[in-house]
Amino acid sequence: MASSAVAERPKKMTTSVPTTRPTSRSPETPQTPAVAGEVSHVAAEGFHVLYGGRPAVKSVTMNIPPGRVTAIIGPSGCGKSTFLRAINRMNDLIPGCTVQGRLALDGQDLYVPQLDVVALRRKVGMVFQKPNPFPKSIFDNVAYGPRIHGISSRTHLSEIVEQSLSRAGLWDEVKDRQHDNALRLSGGQQQRLCIARALAVDPEVLLMDEPASALDPRSTARVEELIDELSGQYTIIIVTHNMQQAARVSELTAFFYEGELIEFGPTKEIFTKPRQEKTEAYITGRFG
Amino acid sequence: MHLRTRKIIDRSATGIGILAIVVMTAALVVLLAPIFANGTGAFVFRGTAEFRKYQSDRFDRGDREVLTTEKETLRQVRQPVYDLLHKFEHQLKNDDDLDARFGAEFPKLKREVYRLIGPPPGEALSRLERDEYGATRWDRALVQADSIVHVQEDRGLDSHGFSLKVEGPRAARYKGTSLEPMFGYVEMHLAELLRPQWTFYPQFLIDNPQDANFFGGIGPAVLGTIYLTLGAILFAVPMGVITAIYLVEYAGQGRFISLLRTCISTLAGVPSIVFGLFGLAFFINTIHVSPSKSVLAGSLTLGLLILPTIIRASEEALRAVPLAYKEAALSLGAGQWRTILTVILPAALPGILTGIIISMGRAAGETAPIIFTAAVSVGLGVKPWEVFTSPTQALSWNIYNVSTEHEAVDQIRHVQYGMVLTLVVLVLALNLTAVLLRARITRRLSG
């Protein structure tokens, strides 16, 4: 099941010019700035997430376009992380968590019983708030994904590891100590390692849950640069507390408040002329 | 509360803590010091010529030429003793008066002398090995010599009504007889009679015991303990770790699961003798894993005994694995089983290993569970292919046996202490391994 994607990996990875990610299902992806809802990679329709019956995400309808960086902002407890984790079904880990409505990736409903969660998570990578490398070597961390998807050839793995680390901008720093324990890296390096690890399985979508909130400003800047470099190649959805960060890295911004999607549009518009009063109140710092 | 009161309370708490540690350390020293001091006596001691002779006869150890020379020297030194004994014995037969006085006592005395320096060639008192050799250890020889040279005489009751016993030279009793010079001779020439030498006897750990532990080592017991411990681990570790994985990763919070947990906790508190009886009733009498006591039945029983500990330790270790590792693995597309195998188990390994090794110490030391299922007090070392049918000696059981049920407990103190030391060192070594292994893995995991 993994073999076809695996076989075409080297070809894809060596593409020198970053282009909009060629997904077979959306070849008509426009190069003009996307308008929310135009062509969707991830689509939510009246989507609810409930924790033991209490709604955390309420009736969200939004279409996240492919190959762009979409930021989700909002005050704590607004459901933005819950929504993000619904996309790769990480919420399955939480007992009592249920969903209503429809959430789809490339038109495929993610909450039908016959869905292969493992296959979904191959397509949707995730980077967490706190860097969480495994207590293994740098190499083994990056190779973890490819290995579980059936790649065992050492040369092939080294190739993938090098390419993923290069993409995450970490290769030059760690190429001579790939077999050191990943936990010896600095926090910022660890987070970029986690990004490399997520890239190593060649996902289509990259979910980032406040990826820089545990990092110092310098490492944060490095991670933001990286997001910028990766945009266009992956559909990136980033949850952030930091509005400057959202403004800097994203093309589209969604504002969540109390579980509802208040406003979704091009980042520039959201930050300069928001249509909703709540959005304006939030970005001007009147609450949150 | 006043700052002052708080400080006083804090300080007294610290003081009590330190005191507790000091008391515990002292108790440990008081316990371990005699074990180490006396236990080493089984391995390092002043062995007599009789020891060397025995080792040569039975285990073919030592330089034969040197031993032959020594034998000749000894014969010359000992001959006067034998001569005096024979002469007196001869007189005893012909003199009714003398026979009336010493007829009852003399055979015992002769036996004691033979036990000290060995019988003259071809004149063993019985077919027991202990009657063919003299004292093999110098410390025993001194006690033995003392019981020959001195005698306790009953002097009736003292003024408080206690029986009064006075120790006096036995030579005085034999004054005027032909045997009188023997006592002085033995006392004077004891070292020449036995030629003590400092001896290192590491084979104590592997030699078979001979003549009910009077000679030889504790090999079968050491071997048995190793078999039983390994067997218990082989049985309990897979079961325990899999159970823990189930409880942590798969089981929900249902009533049945909490009942199960309670059962496991209760199992940990069941007295070990009950496990022993259960092992007999279930493994041997009901499912017939072996026709009678066997290493296998003992291992299974011990395994059952340590199972709760292993489950508990593994459960805690698994729960302590950061959720972040699990999330990371799942987000990369690993299935649950794969996540457990590649991420969670390796991260929990130090804790699980600690549990396992502590349990090994416990299994090695337990006595009650193997009494009915595996342990016997005599027998040769069990061969690896006999473990399914053959019972075995084991240190824990044999310590009890040679300390309480042996016909001559006070003559084999060195064996008792040697066994205790071996067991204590075994358990301490296991615990030390646990600590080191844990430190090593933790270091690897934390970078």
Side-chain angles (χ1 to χ4, degrees):
Chain A
M1 127 213 110
S3 57
S4 66
V6 160
E8 56 184 313
R9 179 190 302 278
K11 197 169 58 198
K12 270 191 186 175
M13 292 295 252
T14 46
T15 311
S16 52
V17 188
T19 54
T20 302
R21 184 182 181 74
T23 47
S24 54
R25 286 157 295 264
S26 52
E28 71 280 38
T29 304
Q31 295 302 300
T32 48
V35 175
E38 182 180 275
V39 178
S40 64
H41 198 178
V42 178
E45 240 181 86
F47 186 67
H48 298 257
V49 181
L50 303 98
Y51 290 136
R54 192 179 53 80
V57 169
K58 294 177 213 159
S59 193
V60 167
T61 300
M62 70 190 287
N63 291 330
I64 297 171
R68 304 193 182 277
V69 180
T70 303
I72 303 180
I73 60 169
S76 297
C78 70
K80 56 191 191 298
S81 278
T82 303
F83 179 73
L84 191 78
R85 286 163 157 264
I87 300 171
N88 68 345
R89 292 199 37 182
M90 283 307 269
N91 285 338
D92 290 6
L93 287 182
I94 300 164
C97 180
T98 52
V99 300
Q100 287 166 10
R102 187 180 140 92
L103 184 67
L105 176 76
D106 292 329
Q108 161 71 55
D109 193 332
L110 300 182
Y111 284 88
V112 288
Q114 65 270 28
L115 183 99
D116 180 355
V117 178
V118 167
L120 165 70
R121 288 179 185 152
R122 270 209 60 198
K123 286 197 267 179
V124 184
M126 186 158 197
V127 178
F128 297 83
Q129 185 170 358
K130 262 180 76 182
N132 59 351
F134 299 124
K136 300 171 189 275
S137 72
I138 293 168
F139 183 94
D140 287 340
N141 261 280
V142 182
Y144 184 85
R147 272 190 182 132
I148 59 174
H149 296 302
I151 300 175
S152 55
S153 137
R154 189 79 192 171
T155 37
H156 195 176
L157 282 174
S158 332
E159 230 171 86
I160 295 171
V161 169
E162 181 178 342
Q163 281 161 357
S164 308
L165 285 170
S166 304
R167 286 193 166 193
L170 197 59
W171 175 249
D172 290 334
E173 290 161 61
V174 302
K175 65 182 169 196
D176 298 324
R177 49 183 183 129
Q178 289 182 65
H179 297 285
D180 279 11
N181 195 306
L183 297 175
R184 276 190 224 150
L185 296 172
S186 73
Q189 287 175 321
Q190 287 188 13
Q191 193 61 304
R192 279 183 282 144
L193 177 67
C194 292
I195 295 173
R197 184 176 64 186
L199 297 182
V201 292
D202 204 17
E204 299 171 10
V205 180
L206 200 54
L207 307 176
M208 295 183 152
D209 191 358
E210 302 188 35
S213 68
L215 305 180
D216 62 74
R218 213 186 144 94
S219 307
T220 302
R222 190 70 196 78
V223 168
E224 284 178 9
E225 268 171 46
L226 179 57
I227 294 170
D228 204 44
E229 285 161 24
L230 295 174
S231 72
Q233 304 171 61
Y234 304 91
T235 302
I236 298 177
I237 307 173
I238 173 171
V239 160
T240 177
H241 252 102
N242 180 330
M243 280 177 285
Q244 284 75 29
Q245 186 172 67
R248 281 193 298 265
V249 302
S250 69
E251 295 165 69
L252 297 164
T253 296
F255 173 58
F256 273 58
Y257 182 66
E258 291 186 342
E260 286 174 62
L261 173 65
I262 305 296
E263 190 167 350
F264 180 35
T267 302
K268 251 183 211 154
E269 282 174 31
I270 296 272
F271 278 92
T272 51
K273 38 182 199 288
R275 282 179 299 231
Q276 301 290 327
E277 209 175 303
K278 274 182 191 153
T279 316
E280 194 185 352
Y282 181 69
I283 61 173
T284 52
R286 266 184 272 147
F287 69 91
Chain B
M1 204 187 288
H2 285 296
L3 180 64
R4 217 190 160 85
T5 341
R6 215 163 55 213
K7 271 190 176 163
I8 290 173
I9 291 174
D10 283 352
R11 277 197 202 126
S12 9
T14 318
I16 291 169
I18 291 172
L19 191 73
I21 289 170
V22 168
V23 168
M24 266 171 56
T25 315
L28 202 65
V29 169
V30 167
L31 178 76
L32 290 182
I35 290 178
F36 275 89
N38 294 318
T40 43
F43 301 91
V44 180
F45 54 93
R46 296 178 81 180
T48 66
E50 294 299 302
F51 177 80
R52 295 189 284 282
K53 184 159 163 260
Y54 186 85
Q55 288 287 309
S56 167
D57 291 354
R58 172 62 80 156
F59 299 109
D60 202 18
R61 288 178 192 137
D63 189 332
R64 207 162 285 199
E65 238 168 77
V66 176
L67 284 170
T68 317
T69 325
E70 187 172 54
K71 217 171 185 174
E72 186 51 34
T73 324
L74 285 170
R75 203 188 57 76
Q76 286 171 14
V77 186
R78 288 173 180 178
Q79 199 55 49
V81 179
Y82 298 137
D83 288 346
L84 285 168
L85 285 170
H86 284 145
K87 193 174 167 195
F88 186 75
E89 196 170 22
H90 190 71
Q91 286 176 349
L92 215 55
K93 273 184 195 151
N94 302 322
D95 188 333
D96 288 347
D97 199 31
L98 209 59
D99 192 41
R101 278 177 65 197
F102 299 110
E105 185 189 317
F106 180 73
K108 286 184 205 156
L109 178 67
K110 186 173 130 187
R111 185 189 198 100
E112 295 306 314
V113 175
Y114 282 9
R115 285 205 170 152
L116 177 67
I117 59 171
E123 207 198 301
L125 290 168
S126 75
R127 298 183 65 182
L128 288 174
E129 277 188 335
R130 73 193 76 156
D131 286 331
E132 288 174 33
Y133 294 88
T136 54
R137 298 170 59 93
W138 184 240
D139 53 351
R140 283 301 312 159
L142 291 174
V143 177
Q144 183 73 8
D146 190 62
S147 76
I148 293 166
V149 174
H150 295 101
V151 68
Q152 269 194 348
E153 280 186 71
D154 215 337
R155 292 274 174 84
L157 301 179
D158 68 4
S159 55
H160 300 286
F162 291 109
S163 77
L164 191 65
K165 287 191 173 156
V166 175
E167 193 160 273
R170 205 190 284 261
R173 284 168 66 100
Y174 286 83
K175 205 165 177 61
T177 69
S178 59
L179 196 63
E180 191 193 343
M182 188 199 78
F183 301 100
Y185 186 85
V186 168
E187 201 169 11
M188 289 288 291
H189 298 96
L190 193 59
E192 287 111 288
L193 284 166
L194 288 163
R195 301 170 67 88
Q197 277 174 18
W198 278 106
T199 311
F200 178 43
Y201 181 39
Q203 295 96 335
F204 181 72
L205 282 178
I206 50 169
D207 279 351
N208 282 325
Q210 306 292 344
D211 192 12
N213 280 106
F214 271 91
F215 306 97
I218 54 170
V222 174
L223 193 64
T225 293
I226 293 173
Y227 281 145
L228 288 169
T229 310
L230 288 183
I233 289 297
L234 277 180
F235 168 67
V237 167
M239 289 243 315
V241 173
I242 290 171
T243 309
I245 290 174
Y246 172 75
L247 286 175
V248 174
E249 298 293 331
Y250 292 93
Q253 295 294 319
R255 184 170 292 186
F256 175 70
I257 296 299
S258 65
L259 185 72
L260 201 66
R261 277 181 218 277
T262 316
C263 287
I264 292 167
S265 304
T266 314
L267 209 60
V270 170
S272 52
I273 188 73
V274 177
F275 276 101
L277 285 167
F278 172 81
L280 173 67
F282 183 69
F283 293 123
I284 297 178
N285 291 348
T286 308
I287 62 170
H288 304 291
V289 295
S290 56
S292 150
K293 286 184 186 181
S294 71
V295 175
L296 176 65
S299 295
L300 291 172
T301 311
L302 283 174
L304 218 57
L305 177 90
I306 60 174
L307 194 59
T309 319
I310 291 187
I311 294 176
R312 268 300 146 96
S314 307
E315 239 192 297
E316 269 164 42
L318 289 169
R319 276 188 212 289
V321 174
L323 184 65
Y325 292 168
K326 192 174 166 182
E327 285 185 335
L330 291 176
S331 78
L332 289 165
Q336 188 168 13
W337 184 237
R338 182 87 78 146
T339 305
I340 290 166
L341 232 46
T342 57
V343 176
I344 296 178
L345 268 185
L349 202 59
I352 296 178
L353 273 179
T354 310
I356 291 173
I357 296 173
I358 303 261
S359 307
M360 278 178 89
R362 171 116 196 261
E366 275 292 347
T367 316
I370 59 171
I371 294 177
F372 306 115
T373 54
V376 285
S377 40
V378 286
L380 297 177
V382 173
K383 304 278 186 300
W385 56 88
E386 294 167 347
V387 293
F388 298 106
T389 49
S390 190
T392 182
Q393 295 195 26
L395 285 172
S396 56
W397 162 254
N398 279 67
I399 287 169
Y400 167 74
N401 189 260
V402 298
S403 310
T404 58
E405 304 202 327
H406 197 274
E407 60 205 291
V409 248
D410 59 334
Q411 288 180 41
I412 51 163
R413 291 283 178 224
H414 65 285
V415 178
Q416 298 155 12
Y417 275 112
M419 278 188 184
V420 172
L421 178 67
T422 308
L423 185 56
V424 167
V425 167
L426 195 74
V427 173
L428 286 183
L430 282 174
N431 288 357
L432 191 69
T433 317
V435 171
L436 293 179
L437 210 64
R438 189 192 170 96
R440 201 188 144 98
I441 296 177
T442 311
R443 206 166 52 234
R444 213 187 64 212
L445 287 179
S446 61

